[in-house]
Amino acid sequence: MKYERIYNFSAGPATMPEPVLEEIRDEMMNYKGSGMCVMEMSHRSKVYQQIIDEAEQDLRDLMHIPDNYKVLFIQGGATLQFAMIPMNLMKNGVACYVETGAWSKKAINEAKKYGEIHVVASSKDRNYSYIPDCSDLDIPENADYVYICENETIHGVTWPTLPNTKGHVLVSDQSSMFLSRPCNVSDYGMIYAGVQKNVGPAGMVVAIIREDLIRDGLDPKVPLYLSYKTHADNGSMYNTPNCWAIYVCGKVFKYLKSTGGLEAMEKRNIEKAQILYDFLDSSKMFHGTVDKAFRSLMNVPFVTANAELDAQVIAATKAAGYDNLKGHKSVGGLRASIYNAMPKEGVAALVEFLKTFEAENG
Amino acid sequence: MKYERIYNFSAGPATMPEPVLEEIRDEMMNYKGSGMCVMEMSHRSKVYQQIIDEAEQDLRDLMHIPDNYKVLFIQGGATLQFAMIPMNLMKNGVACYVETGAWSKKAINEAKKYGEIHVVASSKDRNYSYIPDCSDLDIPENADYVYICENETIHGVTWPTLPNTKGHVLVSDQSSMFLSRPCNVSDYGMIYAGVQKNVGPAGMVVAIIREDLIRDGLDPKVPLYLSYKTHADNGSMYNTPNCWAIYVCGKVFKYLKSTGGLEAMEKRNIEKAQILYDFLDSSKMFHGTVDKAFRSLMNVPFVTANAELDAQVIAATKAAGYDNLKGHKSVGGLRASIYNAMPKEGVAALVEFLKTFEAENG
């Protein structure tokens, strides 16, 4: 392979498009005649303003984001959003959460500090291997929002259809599926995503929020940085943002536009995941841990019959140049994260390797 | 100049060492045989753990940080620290702040949300053009800490000697002077710095905190991300950190070590600033805005007799390839930020330009 790069199945930070990395490399010493690297630019300069403006516009184009939604770039990861969401969106102090895996669980634990949390559905009974029925949830009238994690990175489950929120605001953590397929933004009050899984480098969240949810009058002890209004009123530059992440993500947005947008991306992602799932369904040694209807296109956890064999497979894949396939300890086994930037060839090569391993060790 | 780079006098993000940028460029497609870019690395991988460990160790070496201090890498900028500091360090709910410019003022305003704030000295009376006498401050017995901004980026003042805190914990914002000279860490309870001024890319703060100040038992509504203990207990990786900024800053730390450490850096910074201050002291057209004893080695604000002439100079410098010299609106005129990475030649060239401008327009 060019540059001797390997197939990297990391759950995040994760593999990025090679042409994007090449562009960044080529602009390192002097960005487009500005005489400086993007890392050296004043965020108040015209040249940087154009970078952030284009990044936002390209994202709006990709997702067809309606005009009454703000796009914000915020530091602190999903972990900070777990606090910012209740701090900003709770007016009545009541919210509903659906528990579908490790990440929604963390969101629930943090939200409990700020109000009355109703866990209205859970798949904990079978170690988060499915999405519970959310067609008729018991949602209190005064609930400020319903929260879901739309793709659980660790447990590998995704939502085939959105929950019936009965008219309440829907908030979704899309971190590990952001931009993997078309998204009807107006179905949501707020979407957010840590960009280090399916877009760019770690250290930034993209938040897409309906304007009427951004407000004054928060608890006076909410830090200035934790108010969405601070970011919305200042074009995500109340203080110096993660300028580099905005620059890199902007390049990925342009790359996605140039390769057919989210419709084409979804098609590629389905084809790609199918290669791995078809193998898992036909294998006698390996099997997926998630119910078929709820399988993620992005994170594919799978196991053998025992932990010892799992460990052997992981060691063998690593030695062969397929990195970061060890599953999270709460699921065990292996996990292949096959985000947008993982080429089909990478998945096909991994499957060939696993087939050979099974033939030789089965 | 190589790469046709310009002299960039931005107050931050700001100019970086060219050899560091070259290394980053060369490692973009494949970091040291890992088969991936640093932006693509799992923060839980061995290869990344080595990057963060070396960054911390090199910083410890540079600053001779004692073992009883933790080094933390936190997102959200100084703005988030303005809240985190009172949230974490206030036990009695009382703190003292010295008001010396725009940044200490912002810190004061945010801290007021969390406790009783005593502004124990201020230089507001002369638009923050000096550091007030802090040899005998009126500090309440139960004050949890005394807070200073050790170099005011906008107003261009710095502290020749630290305040007499009468035994209380000293907290210092060193953002715009971090690593510009040797620092006796044990004089402080906590030092922090947004790295986008004197080190690397925006999106990260380095916090150096004495271990006994890191504690449990915060207000239960403090977000998990805003507790220093969360970061300290997890080696700055409770959640995915700004991996890229840690990598880049680590390279700058190594570069500083290889060029003589902070002692050599201070010598170069004094020589460099002297060129500009000598000119300002001899010029009839330009003069510095700060009392001589408190002049910053990093940020040099200066003005002409009127705003119209200021604007002419700024336009002329920009056209000649000296960028980002416009002063902040609260001071007016010009400001040259001449951080560690600004070469002496850049300052000398600027001074020559200003001399010629004065000769032709004086």
Side-chain angles (χ1 to χ4, degrees):
Chain A
M1 266 162 94
K2 203 175 166 188
Y3 307 119
E4 301 189 343
R5 284 164 57 80
I6 61 166
Y7 289 123
N8 171 18
F9 293 90
S10 170
T15 194
M16 288 175 54
E18 214 170 271
V20 165
L21 294 176
E22 287 176 322
E23 272 184 39
I24 293 167
R25 175 198 61 192
D26 295 344
E27 290 171 354
M28 185 63 65
M29 305 311 295
N30 187 341
Y31 173 83
K32 297 187 178 176
S34 65
M36 58 186 88
C37 172
V38 174
M39 287 190 276
E40 303 175 299
M41 283 179 189
S42 168
H43 57 301
R44 308 289 181 205
S45 63
K46 277 184 196 162
V47 61
Y48 191 76
Q49 189 65 50
Q50 192 180 342
I51 290 173
I52 189 172
D53 287 348
E54 281 187 25
E56 177 175 341
Q57 189 57 53
D58 286 331
L59 181 63
R60 286 186 175 275
D61 294 348
L62 272 175
M63 296 183 72
H64 309 293
I65 299 174
D67 287 346
N68 64 324
Y69 285 73
K70 289 277 187 190
V71 172
L72 308 179
F73 302 114
I74 308 172
Q75 299 175 52
T79 301
L80 195 56
Q81 292 309 307
F82 296 162
M84 283 179 72
I85 288 164
M87 281 175 153
N88 283 269
L89 302 190
M90 274 186 177
K91 288 181 182 175
N92 302 324
V94 179
C96 298
Y97 281 67
V98 182
E99 187 191 39
T100 52
W103 291 102
S104 47
K105 205 172 162 184
K106 285 199 178 199
I108 290 166
N109 287 340
E110 186 76 351
K112 281 179 177 168
K113 294 179 181 173
Y114 306 103
E116 183 187 318
I117 302 301
H118 297 250
V119 178
V120 287
S122 171
S123 56
K124 194 179 178 184
D125 60 339
R126 287 200 287 118
N127 197 28
Y128 308 115
S129 57
Y130 67 103
I131 298 290
D133 178 8
C134 292
S135 59
D136 185 20
L137 299 168
D138 186 16
I139 301 171
E141 257 318 300
N142 64 343
D144 290 307
Y145 59 87
V146 177
Y147 180 104
I148 63 170
C149 175
E150 206 164 335
N151 188 85
E152 289 275 3
T153 319
I154 290 175
H155 292 87
V157 289
T158 199
W159 291 67
T161 54
L162 294 176
N164 176 2
T165 65
K166 301 181 175 173
H168 291 81
V169 165
L170 178 64
V171 176
S172 175
D173 173 1
Q174 289 198 347
S175 296
S176 50
M177 59 167 287
F178 194 54
L179 303 179
S180 67
R181 66 182 191 207
C183 168
N184 187 22
V185 175
S186 53
D187 288 344
Y188 304 81
M190 173 175 169
I191 295 166
Y192 76 94
V195 299
Q196 78 278 12
K197 294 179 185 291
N198 216 5
V199 193
M204 193 171 78
V205 155
V206 173
I208 302 166
I209 315 183
R210 217 174 59 209
E211 280 174 350
D212 61 289
L213 299 174
I214 300 169
R215 64 192 181 98
D216 278 324
L218 305 183
D219 182 309
K221 290 205 174 188
V222 171
L224 195 57
Y225 193 85
L226 270 59
S227 157
Y228 290 129
K229 199 161 188 308
T230 300
H231 301 277
D233 286 353
N234 295 282
S236 297
M237 298 213 276
Y238 171 77
N239 70 337
T240 323
N242 185 335
C243 297
W244 179 258
I246 292 168
Y247 160 67
V248 175
C249 290
K251 286 213 176 284
V252 174
F253 300 155
K254 277 195 200 303
Y255 179 75
L256 290 176
K257 282 177 79 175
S258 75
T259 52
L262 302 189
E263 290 75 12
M265 198 70 244
E266 180 180 35
K267 193 165 166 288
R268 286 193 296 271
N269 283 331
I270 290 172
E271 285 173 11
K272 204 166 66 182
Q274 198 63 45
I275 298 171
L276 184 49
Y277 284 122
D278 280 350
F279 165 68
L280 294 175
D281 291 342
S282 66
S283 167
K284 290 197 163 54
M285 181 180 276
F286 301 100
H287 66 272
T289 59
V290 172
D291 290 5
K292 283 189 185 180
F294 310 106
R295 283 170 162 178
S296 168
L297 294 182
M298 299 283 106
N299 311 98
V300 183
F302 56 101
V303 295
T304 68
N306 64 72
E308 204 180 307
L309 185 54
D310 287 343
Q312 279 177 39
V313 184
I314 293 161
T317 53
K318 192 170 171 70
Y322 306 98
D323 207 3
N324 292 310
L325 278 161
K326 191 176 176 186
H328 191 274
K329 59 178 185 269
S330 57
V331 179
L334 294 88
R335 173 180 47 170
S337 293
I338 51 175
Y339 296 120
N340 284 354
M342 170 58 66
K344 190 174 167 180
E345 295 72 33
V347 179
L350 173 65
V351 164
E352 280 314 304
F353 183 86
L354 295 175
K355 274 186 186 165
T356 307
F357 184 93
E358 182 171 352
E360 290 172 357
N361 299 274
Chain B
M1 267 159 96
K2 202 175 165 187
Y3 308 117
E4 299 190 341
R5 285 164 55 81
I6 61 168
Y7 290 124
N8 172 17
F9 294 91
S10 170
T15 195
M16 289 175 55
E18 214 169 271
V20 165
L21 294 177
E22 287 175 323
E23 271 185 38
I24 293 167
R25 176 198 60 193
D26 295 343
E27 291 172 354
M28 185 63 64
M29 306 310 297
N30 187 342
Y31 173 83
K32 297 186 177 173
S34 65
M36 58 185 90
C37 172
V38 174
M39 287 191 275
E40 303 175 298
M41 283 178 188
S42 168
H43 57 301
R44 308 289 180 205
S45 62
K46 276 185 195 162
V47 60
Y48 191 76
Q49 189 65 50
Q50 192 180 342
I51 290 172
I52 189 171
D53 287 348
E54 281 188 24
E56 176 174 341
Q57 189 55 53
D58 286 331
L59 181 64
R60 287 187 174 275
D61 294 348
L62 272 174
M63 295 183 73
H64 309 293
I65 299 174
D67 287 344
N68 63 326
Y69 285 74
K70 289 276 188 191
V71 172
L72 308 179
F73 302 113
I74 308 173
Q75 298 176 51
T79 300
L80 193 58
Q81 293 309 307
F82 296 162
M84 283 179 72
I85 289 164
M87 281 175 153
N88 283 269
L89 303 189
M90 275 187 177
K91 287 181 183 174
N92 302 324
V94 179
C96 298
Y97 280 68
V98 183
E99 185 190 41
T100 53
W103 290 102
S104 47
K105 207 173 160 183
K106 284 198 179 200
I108 290 165
N109 287 341
E110 186 76 351
K112 281 179 178 168
K113 295 179 181 174
Y114 307 102
E116 183 186 317
I117 302 303
H118 297 250
V119 178
V120 287
S122 171
S123 56
K124 194 180 176 183
D125 60 338
R126 289 201 287 115
N127 196 29
Y128 308 114
S129 58
Y130 68 103
I131 299 289
D133 178 8
C134 292
S135 58
D136 186 19
L137 298 169
D138 185 16
I139 300 171
E141 258 317 300
N142 63 344
D144 291 306
Y145 59 89
V146 177
Y147 180 104
I148 64 169
C149 174
E150 207 164 335
N151 187 84
E152 289 276 4
T153 320
I154 289 174
H155 291 88
V157 289
T158 199
W159 291 68
T161 54
L162 294 176
N164 176 2
T165 64
K166 300 180 175 173
H168 292 80
V169 166
L170 178 62
V171 176
S172 176
D173 173 1
Q174 289 197 347
S175 297
S176 50
M177 59 167 287
F178 193 55
L179 303 178
S180 66
R181 65 182 191 207
C183 169
N184 187 23
V185 175
S186 55
D187 288 344
Y188 304 81
M190 171 175 169
I191 294 167
Y192 76 95
V195 299
Q196 78 277 13
K197 295 178 185 294
N198 217 5
V199 193
M204 193 172 79
V205 155
V206 174
I208 302 165
I209 315 183
R210 219 174 59 210
E211 280 173 349
D212 61 289
L213 299 174
I214 299 169
R215 62 190 182 98
D216 278 323
L218 305 184
D219 182 309
K221 291 205 174 190
V222 171
L224 194 58
Y225 193 86
L226 270 59
S227 157
Y228 290 128
K229 198 160 189 309
T230 300
H231 301 277
D233 286 353
N234 295 281
S236 297
M237 297 212 277
Y238 170 77
N239 68 339
T240 324
N242 186 335
C243 297
W244 179 256
I246 292 167
Y247 161 67
V248 174
C249 290
K251 288 214 174 280
V252 174
F253 300 154
K254 277 197 198 302
Y255 179 76
L256 291 174
K257 281 176 81 175
S258 75
T259 52
L262 302 188
E263 291 73 14
M265 197 70 246
E266 179 180 37
K267 193 165 167 287
R268 286 194 296 272
N269 283 332
I270 289 171
E271 285 172 12
K272 203 166 67 181
Q274 199 62 45
I275 298 170
L276 184 48
Y277 284 122
D278 281 350
F279 164 68
L280 293 176
D281 290 341
S282 67
S283 167
K284 288 196 165 56
M285 181 180 276
F286 301 100
H287 65 273
T289 58
V290 172
D291 290 6
K292 283 189 186 180
F294 311 104
R295 283 171 162 177
S296 168
L297 293 181
M298 298 284 107
N299 310 98
V300 184
F302 56 101
V303 295
T304 68
N306 63 73
E308 202 180 310
L309 186 54
D310 287 343
Q312 278 177 40
V313 185
I314 294 159
T317 54
K318 191 169 173 69
Y322 307 98
D323 208 2
N324 293 310
L325 278 160
K326 191 176 177 187
H328 191 273
K329 59 178 185 268
S330 56
V331 179
L334 293 87
R335 172 179 47 169
S337 293
I338 51 175
Y339 296 119
N340 284 355
M342 170 59 66
K344 190 174 168 180
E345 295 72 32
V347 179
L350 173 65
V351 164
E352 281 313 304
F353 182 86
L354 295 174
K355 274 185 187 166
T356 306
F357 184 93
E358 180 170 354
E360 289 173 356
N361 299 272

